[in-house]
Amino acid sequence: MPKQLRGLRAIRLSVLTDSTTSVDRQREAGNRSAAALDIDFGEGDSLREAVDLDVSALKFSPFDRPQLGAWLARSGEFDAIVWWRFDRAIASMSDMHDLAKWAKEHRKMLVFDEGIDNAGRLIFDFRNPMDPMSELMMMLFAFAAQVERLSTKERVTGAHAALRQMKGRWKGGRPPYGYEPKRLEGGGWTLKPDIEAVKVVQRIICELKGDDSDVKRGKSSTAIAADLTADGVPTPWQYWDAKRRELREAQTATSGEFVEEDPAGSEESEPEGASPIRGWTGATIKGMLTDYAMLGWKTYKGQVVTEAQSGAPVTFTDEPIMTRTEFDHVGEIFKSRARPPVARKGTNALLLGVLLCDACGGRMYLQRRAEAQNYVCQGFSSGPQCSLPSSIKQQWAEEYVEREFLRRLGGVRVLEHETIPAYDPTPEIEEAEAEFKAHLAERGKQKSRAAQGAWQELHDALDARLMELEARPKTGPRTVVKAQAATYAQRWEAGDDLDKRSLLLDCGVVTKVKRGKSGGWRKLDESRVSFDVTAEFFADAAGEMLAIADELGV
């Protein structure tokens, strides 16, 4: 009786969510071959199985994979290795050559339950070192497998290029946050707003803009991210992982068709370094809300995909989450809240950008020394030379600026500036016009009454859309000034040095410092300093408050 072979069942997944090549499916294939060839994998603690999950065959040869590599180093514990298909074992002819060489040296049998292009089982028996046919046949099949893989990749790449130009079609992969895949009646997939995710997007936008009725200042993206994490709101990657499982459970034969990983690479995949268990960040929120996906536009390698003839953006949905006006408004919010660049990073100096040398007009920087801390003109350093470089004690300067700021603006309610971007309906008109022309090209091709009625219905809808867009006026950018509930004195009291510096810079506070005179080391000679509020929106209020303070002798 022939001796039963000790088998090693080898399983590999490139991604944990690859449903079409699941672990269970590969185990079933291995068991099928084992039963036909009298191979035993053992059981319990003696089970011989190498399961490498989230391991790419392109990046890791069989010898470099965590579990399979360890088994190959213990070749005396098994007689045969069983895979489902070639692509579970190798991704190149060089890897197959190394594997065949190893099998010949250690006299092992290599089994693939399915051959090239779903052909029958392939068996390469290297137990007889005098038989060269196994090695020759294995290399030939490896060559065919590599050609098939490259051809498949080219077909997928070409298909994706074609899908990118199809309006309303989604090629697959992880959809942008706020959308979920929906099957089209004629086949293929599109994206529709995901109600639960859209609620999160709307919450973020509302908190970012603030509540106008309560004159409450909008939150920063970092603060919003902290709140979302604290509330247990899943990040975009966490949400899609959970959503994908729900969608897969709801499907049967078509399971995984749209979630299968893109062999040619997907621009919607998770960015490098991002962790699926990590919380929300300000960068995540900004990147999400400023992504053209909010408008339903397709992108490829960071660029908007446009129609070849009209140049209009190609959309993946007919229900975008944002209008162009809303999208531009959110972008302006992020732009307006960006901190102005400063010459020196990482400093917490209260008056950086506020104090200027009277002689040269250059910024004054905080110079920290053991004996004293002074704001000094850049002329004291290796920077541009100043004929009369000034210097002032940190304590004197900060006390003076704080006093004058609160005298002039302390009782004024904080003014927030919100820039409403310009709006031009021309791009939307061009996009609708291109769609209308394409629709007109299909006139008369409908044979049934139902098709003719559907054509006319879409015709009327596009015509109405063009009329509505043409009626929209162009508007230029404008700035809206909103008075907040808190006063500048209250904000000053509650803030740290960076917050206070932001208040000073927002109000356009400029304090010029002249060079000191001999003997002026006991107290500040206020004839050396001048305080001005230069921002247009604050100058009048500052003047009125200063007049009141002078009248009261404050």
Side-chain angles (χ1 to χ4, degrees):
M1 293 292 293
K3 180 181 177 182
Q4 188 177 44
L5 296 177
R6 298 170 301 164
L8 169 64
R9 185 167 52 206
I11 296 170
R12 184 189 64 79
L13 285 178
S14 296
V15 288
L16 296 176
T17 55
D18 193 345
S19 60
T20 61
T21 55
S22 66
V23 172
D24 290 339
R25 182 172 183 177
Q26 294 185 53
R27 281 201 177 102
E28 180 183 350
N31 293 339
R32 187 166 53 239
S33 288
L37 301 175
D38 195 20
I39 295 175
D40 174 48
F41 295 129
E43 59 184 13
D45 295 337
S46 300
L47 176 66
R48 291 180 293 275
E49 183 178 75
V51 181
D52 291 306
L53 303 182
D54 204 18
V55 175
S56 169
L58 288 170
K59 297 180 180 179
F60 300 95
S61 74
F63 302 93
D64 297 326
R65 295 168 199 167
Q67 289 203 19
L68 180 58
W71 275 104
L72 295 179
R74 308 194 306 270
S75 59
E77 299 180 17
F78 57 91
D79 305 307
I81 308 177
V82 182
W83 284 274
W84 170 33
R85 297 189 319 193
F86 263 86
D87 62 353
R88 299 301 95 190
I90 55 96
S92 66
M93 286 191 64
S94 61
D95 285 348
M96 184 59 84
H97 176 269
D98 293 339
L99 184 61
K101 181 179 179 181
W102 174 90
K104 184 176 180 180
E105 290 177 355
H106 296 86
R107 300 188 181 185
K108 304 298 180 186
M109 178 188 291
L110 305 181
V111 179
F112 299 91
D113 187 69
E114 294 181 13
I116 305 299
D117 197 20
N118 297 322
R121 183 178 299 114
L122 296 176
I123 303 171
F124 303 100
D125 194 346
F126 291 92
R127 289 178 297 171
N128 181 3
M130 303 304 295
D131 183 4
M133 292 304 299
S134 291
E135 185 173 4
L136 174 62
M137 293 302 297
M138 189 170 178
M139 295 307 297
L140 291 175
F141 278 111
F143 174 75
Q146 184 166 339
V147 170
E148 180 186 48
R149 182 176 61 81
L150 293 174
S151 299
T152 300
K153 183 175 181 179
E154 290 177 359
R155 288 197 303 271
V156 172
T157 301
H160 286 169
L163 281 173
R164 278 196 295 272
Q165 290 294 326
M166 294 183 185
K167 187 172 182 178
R169 290 290 298 274
W170 179 247
K171 71 177 183 57
R174 181 176 68 86
Y177 186 73
Y179 298 94
E180 62 179 346
K182 295 290 184 182
R183 177 176 283 282
L184 295 168
E185 292 184 2
W189 297 87
T190 188
L191 294 182
K192 296 289 185 180
D194 184 317
I195 296 176
E196 294 303 318
V198 169
K199 289 179 180 178
V200 176
V201 173
Q202 292 173 340
R203 166 185 170 177
I204 294 172
I205 294 175
C206 288
E207 294 185 0
L208 192 70
K209 296 168 63 175
D211 186 354
D212 293 341
S213 62
D214 193 29
V215 293
K216 180 181 177 183
R217 184 184 182 185
K219 294 182 179 179
S220 68
S221 58
T222 302
I224 296 173
D227 291 343
L228 292 172
T229 302
D231 292 344
V233 178
T235 65
W237 301 285
Q238 292 170 336
Y239 185 78
W240 172 240
D241 284 343
K243 191 74 176 181
R244 177 168 41 193
R245 287 193 293 271
E246 293 177 9
L247 293 169
R248 183 179 299 142
E249 291 172 0
Q251 297 178 42
T252 53
T254 58
S255 175
E257 186 172 328
F258 67 91
V259 300
E260 184 177 3
E261 285 296 315
D262 177 2
S266 171
E267 63 267 30
E268 288 79 25
S269 61
E270 182 175 352
E272 184 177 356
S275 169
I277 61 173
R278 156 187 190 183
W280 287 84
T281 66
T284 298
I285 290 175
K286 181 179 179 181
M288 179 180 73
L289 295 185
T290 56
D291 191 328
Y292 287 115
M294 292 291 107
L295 296 172
W297 293 0
K298 293 184 181 182
T299 57
Y300 180 65
K301 295 184 178 179
Q303 300 296 320
V304 176
V305 178
T306 58
E307 295 179 355
Q309 295 181 344
S310 66
V314 180
T315 59
F316 55 71
T317 181
D318 56 0
E319 299 180 50
I321 294 176
M322 288 187 190
T323 65
R324 184 57 191 264
T325 302
E326 292 169 337
F327 182 78
D328 290 343
H329 190 183
V330 169
E332 286 294 333
I333 290 175
F334 283 111
K335 183 178 178 180
S336 64
R337 293 185 184 176
R339 288 187 179 273
V342 295
R344 185 185 303 176
K345 297 181 180 179
T347 179
N348 294 327
L350 173 63
L351 302 184
L352 181 62
V354 176
L355 286 187
L356 303 180
C357 174
D358 185 74
C360 66
R363 285 183 175 181
M364 300 181 69
Y365 298 93
L366 186 60
Q367 183 182 65
R368 292 184 172 91
R369 293 180 177 177
E371 62 275 12
Q373 294 186 9
N374 298 330
Y375 284 97
V376 300
C377 169
Q378 57 187 350
F380 281 107
S381 64
S382 58
Q385 295 303 306
C386 177
S387 58
L388 295 172
S390 57
S391 173
I392 187 172
K393 287 185 179 180
Q394 178 188 10
Q395 180 182 354
W396 290 357
E398 293 180 355
E399 288 178 350
Y400 170 78
V401 170
E402 178 178 2
R403 185 193 73 197
E404 291 301 311
F405 178 72
L406 296 179
R407 280 184 68 208
R408 302 174 191 230
L409 291 175
V412 178
R413 290 167 64 184
V414 175
L415 300 181
E416 294 288 345
H417 310 103
E418 184 176 9
T419 300
I420 307 299
Y423 173 71
D424 184 357
T426 302
E428 293 178 85
I429 292 175
E430 291 175 348
E431 179 183 352
E433 184 180 4
E435 185 177 358
F436 188 73
K437 289 179 178 178
H439 181 65
L440 287 178
E442 300 297 319
R443 185 199 298 246
K445 297 182 180 180
Q446 299 74 33
K447 298 181 179 180
S448 66
R449 292 181 180 178
Q452 292 171 1
W455 184 92
Q456 186 62 44
E457 183 178 349
L458 180 56
H459 173 278
D460 296 342
L462 289 172
D463 190 22
R465 169 69 172 162
L466 281 168
M467 290 180 60
E468 188 267 334
L469 288 173
E470 289 172 351
R472 292 184 184 179
K474 293 183 180 180
T475 58
R478 66 186 190 278
T479 299
V480 178
V481 182
K482 299 179 181 179
Q484 307 299 304
T487 64
Y488 280 102
Q490 292 171 330
R491 284 280 178 88
W492 185 275
E493 183 66 25
D496 58 16
D497 282 352
L498 288 178
D499 295 327
K500 293 175 181 178
R501 186 171 74 192
S502 293
L503 289 177
L504 294 172
L505 294 174
D506 288 343
C507 295
V509 172
V510 173
T511 299
K512 293 186 177 181
V513 182
K514 297 179 181 179
R515 191 167 189 175
K517 300 177 182 178
S518 176
W521 54 271
R522 295 180 179 85
K523 65 176 183 179
L524 175 63
D525 177 6
E526 295 195 11
S527 66
R528 295 177 51 206
V529 292
S530 63
F531 184 98
D532 291 305
V533 178
T534 62
E536 177 183 354
F537 300 101
F538 300 94
D540 293 340
E544 293 174 5
M545 289 296 296
L546 181 59
I548 295 173
D550 290 340
E551 184 177 344
L552 297 176
V554 178

